[in-house]
Amino acid sequence: MNAYKGPGQRFRRALLALGGSWMLACAGELQAVESAPATAQEWLATGAARLHERNAPEAAAAFTKAVALDPKSVIALLGLGVAQELLGKKDLALASFEKAVTIDPKSADALAERGRARLALNQVDPAMADFAKALEKVETTQPSTEH
């Protein structure tokens, strides 16, 4: 993941440092699919592999199939949004992130990705609100280090 130089790299690093892990969860599915993908999980793994290879068109196609098979998959919607961003389709990416937030309004990852997409579209105030909500979610799920 460190070699990735695409949109939002600094924010993704910060998000991972804070505990956001949707892409790591997706990467956990990076098992070789010997035959053509058939399930949402297999399409999710294929999309993650294509994103890792920086093959945005094939990643978007795979995540689209994963979403078609499992419309409530927040991870598939996040992957689709990232692939759409890489393809320069900022409005479609925002729509994918919006769907992810609608499905799981408590997802720090979905809120952060939506905020980043909004920022790319110069929607600064809504983006900052999403980032604040995402950080709030991360902070409330982190164990306290105070003794």
Side-chain angles (χ1 to χ4, degrees):
M1 178 163 285
N2 290 336
Y4 179 67
K5 302 286 187 217
Q9 174 63 10
R10 274 185 280 159
F11 182 74
R12 280 194 180 86
R13 273 195 227 134
L15 182 60
L16 287 172
L18 289 171
S21 60
W22 79 265
M23 195 62 176
L24 292 179
C26 201
E29 299 294 325
L30 286 176
Q31 303 169 18
V33 177
E34 298 296 324
S35 60
T39 67
Q41 285 300 109
E42 289 172 347
W43 281 112
L44 184 63
T46 299
R50 296 306 164 265
L51 267 185
H52 181 73
E53 296 164 358
R54 298 191 45 78
N55 185 337
E58 287 187 20
F63 285 123
T64 297
K65 290 178 181 175
V67 170
L69 292 169
D70 184 2
K72 297 205 181 276
S73 173
V74 171
I75 292 175
L77 286 163
L78 294 177
L80 178 58
V82 169
Q84 290 165 328
E85 282 179 321
L86 290 172
L87 291 169
K89 299 177 179 181
K90 294 178 183 178
D91 290 328
L92 289 176
L94 179 57
S96 293
F97 299 140
E98 290 278 0
K99 287 179 189 173
V101 171
T102 299
I103 292 166
D104 186 0
K106 294 181 180 180
S107 169
D109 296 321
L111 287 163
E113 291 293 347
R114 183 177 72 178
R116 200 176 44 71
R118 284 177 164 175
L119 195 58
L121 292 168
N122 293 318
Q123 299 173 7
V124 177
D125 290 338
M128 293 301 115
D130 281 343
F131 293 145
K133 287 179 193 172
L135 287 173
E136 180 182 305
K137 302 295 181 198
V138 170
E139 290 169 356
T140 60
T141 60
Q142 296 297 317
S144 176
T145 56
E146 296 178 17
H147 290 71

